[in-house]
Amino acid sequence: MRTSEYISWVPHPLPFYQHISSRPALSIVRILGFHRFCPRSSPNRDIGAEILAGIEEIQSFKKGQKKLRTKALSEPSAPNIIRAKLKMSQAAFAAMLGVSRRNLQDWEQGRREPNGPAVALLRIAEQHPEVFSDLH
């Protein structure tokens, strides 16, 4: 099967289309533009070898021969502390997080706890506030 057959579902050339390599997975990654966000993506990357290495790592972990790397994430500070550091109003901070102002007020007054993606966004806002200041 030729590479062009793998990407026949693409209706037209996309603006960030580069070239089609002999590896279909890499071609689709390039066509969709994901290579811009993946720093390890390169034309010489052997995805098959990386997958096999991952499978071997899992097998050695299951046998007790290897420890896997883990990283504990810290809990973010209270939303009102993070908001004060960013010098934002409740309305602006709630809009930035994509939650209602009432939700934010409930978090700040202890009536509710943020969960899921909200916790992740609060952690980012606390540890990398420049990300939020760059948003429009």
Side-chain angles (χ1 to χ4, degrees):
M1 190 178 266
R2 292 189 333 251
T3 305
S4 60
E5 294 175 35
Y6 282 97
I7 60 164
S8 60
W9 56 270
V10 177
H12 53 77
L14 299 173
F16 42 81
Y17 171 80
Q18 289 183 353
H19 74 282
I20 298 177
S21 71
S22 60
R23 292 180 289 194
L26 185 58
S27 300
I28 291 171
V29 165
R30 285 188 174 180
I31 289 170
L32 296 177
F34 293 127
H35 67 284
R36 295 179 181 173
F37 306 108
C38 183
R40 293 179 18 184
S41 179
S42 70
N44 300 327
R45 184 174 178 192
D46 189 357
I47 295 173
E50 290 178 26
I51 292 170
L52 288 175
I55 292 171
E56 290 170 2
E57 189 175 6
I58 291 169
Q59 288 173 342
S60 62
F61 170 73
K62 285 184 176 182
K63 292 177 185 175
Q65 299 170 346
K66 188 172 193 169
K67 289 269 188 191
L68 297 180
R69 287 181 292 166
T70 59
K71 186 172 183 176
L73 297 174
S74 63
E75 284 297 316
S77 299
N80 54 347
I81 295 172
I82 298 170
R83 184 174 60 83
K85 285 181 186 176
L86 292 174
K87 299 177 183 164
M88 297 179 86
S89 68
Q90 281 185 338
F93 191 59
M96 193 73 66
L97 293 176
V99 299
S100 70
R101 190 169 144 229
R102 183 71 179 169
N103 243 0
L104 181 62
Q105 288 173 348
D106 288 345
W107 293 344
E108 289 185 355
Q109 294 172 6
R111 290 191 296 257
R112 295 183 65 195
E113 291 289 321
N115 56 18
V119 174
L121 285 173
L122 288 170
R123 188 178 293 121
I124 292 169
E126 181 177 31
Q127 295 176 5
H128 300 284
E130 69 276 0
V131 172
F132 281 79
S133 62
D134 290 344
L135 294 176
H136 296 27

